[in-house]
Amino acid sequence: MTSTEESPVLVDVADGILTITLNRPDRHNALTGRMHNELMAALERARHESDIRVLLIRGAGRSFCSGADVSDLSEPDVAPSAAQRVHSVMHGRDLVDAMLAIKQPVVAAVRGYAMGLGSTIALFSDVVIAADDAVLADTHVNIGVVAGDGGAVMWPLLAGLGRARYHLLTGERVTGSLAAEWGLVYKAVPADAVIDDALDVARRLASLAPLAVQGTKAALNRIVRDRVELALDYGLWAEAVTFLSEDHAEATAAFVQKRPATFTGR
């Protein structure tokens, strides 16, 4: 174990498997700036240690990751500045690039929520084992912002353009079982079996010839990289712009005040 239990990202290496545990269970593992940095450090470690054959990403507690914790951008009672918003959004490219740069296969074990940036982390993994009752969604539009941090890349690539259009334009949720039926994730299993099944996959991958596995992943990632270059930078730019919109401010206020939002397109 290379992190303490108090760390928001736990890292453990055993039998060639580097396990990354997102560790804010009380917030459904919503990603903070510190978590982003520690996750990036763990991914970078994997790139440089040849004895690591596979990565396994999971969440502590009931959920995988409920997305970015926007409250982390500033003090609790102070609205984040425009620069803070843009800087935070553009971190999405760093994370996608880091995941694509890893030569080893990445397995994601998804229970509970995998929302927004959390679904992006899961779907950029190479093999996703989800709970039947897991909840995957990209809910950016529901808070008045563009689904820009990877959803427009991976949802159509995995589930098809028609399904991606509907779910990214509405933010509607998908269960793990339906996600498996569509090919959005590899397999759905009962929630209490997710970790064991993901470990079984990780162990199988770790037992195979690493050059063969890594070369196959690299070839497949050329398809993903092509989609990333097509859509991601535009999506992140558009997301950053809409974070500064009146509609986003209205969505935030409506959520706090527990009322329907009224959008004006400004």
Side-chain angles (χ1 to χ4, degrees):
M1 183 75 68
T2 60
S3 303
T4 66
E5 288 189 352
E6 290 72 33
S7 173
V9 176
L10 306 179
V11 180
D12 180 81
V13 178
D15 301 322
I17 301 170
L18 186 148
T19 299
I20 299 171
T21 303
L22 306 177
N23 189 39
R24 292 182 75 211
D26 56 321
R27 295 297 303 272
H28 294 281
N29 303 313
L31 215 66
T32 64
R34 178 184 172 187
M35 290 176 74
H36 175 274
N37 293 337
E38 292 189 13
L39 176 57
M40 292 284 286
L43 298 176
E44 184 67 13
R45 173 182 173 180
R47 287 186 62 200
H48 297 289
E49 294 193 16
S50 59
D51 59 334
I52 294 172
R53 299 287 186 89
V54 183
L55 280 73
L56 173 63
I57 304 179
R58 56 173 293 183
R62 295 175 293 159
S63 287
F64 180 74
C65 176
S66 59
D69 190 342
V70 295
S71 68
D72 183 59
L73 292 174
S74 64
E75 295 300 318
D77 298 322
V78 179
S81 68
Q84 285 175 311
R85 289 287 197 194
V86 172
H87 180 71
S88 175
V89 169
M90 297 312 291
H91 267 322
R93 175 77 200 221
D94 297 340
L95 186 53
V96 166
D97 285 341
M99 293 194 71
L100 290 177
I102 298 167
K103 59 187 178 182
Q104 303 94 331
V106 180
V107 180
V110 175
R111 296 183 297 190
Y113 294 123
M115 312 281 278
L117 183 57
S119 74
T120 295
I121 293 170
L123 299 182
F124 269 93
S125 301
D126 299 293
V127 181
V128 184
I129 308 298
D132 292 325
D133 60 355
V135 178
L136 294 90
D138 195 315
T139 55
H140 283 75
V141 295
N142 302 123
I143 59 168
V145 298
V146 168
D149 65 16
V153 174
M154 295 310 294
W155 282 70
L157 188 59
L158 296 170
L161 183 58
R163 291 174 178 135
R165 279 174 167 158
Y166 178 78
H167 284 275
L168 296 181
L169 289 171
T170 65
E172 187 169 311
R173 302 175 179 193
V174 178
T175 63
S177 57
L178 186 57
E181 181 181 325
W182 288 354
L184 191 64
V185 303
Y186 169 62
K187 183 168 67 169
V189 299
D192 59 4
V194 168
I195 301 302
D196 286 343
D197 270 48
L199 274 171
D200 285 345
V201 171
R203 291 182 183 121
R204 179 174 184 182
L205 290 167
S207 73
L208 298 172
L211 294 180
V213 170
Q214 292 167 17
T216 301
K217 170 173 174 166
L220 292 168
N221 264 357
R222 293 180 70 86
I223 299 169
V224 180
R225 288 180 184 278
D226 184 63
R227 296 296 185 92
V228 164
E229 296 308 322
L230 178 67
L232 186 62
D233 284 340
Y234 175 80
L236 289 170
W237 171 82
E239 181 178 344
V241 169
T242 48
F243 258 120
L244 307 179
S245 68
E246 292 178 17
D247 278 349
H248 172 62
E250 164 64 8
T252 303
F255 176 79
V256 171
Q257 297 164 17
K258 296 181 172 55
R259 61 171 175 81
T262 301
F263 296 120
T264 60
R266 294 195 296 269

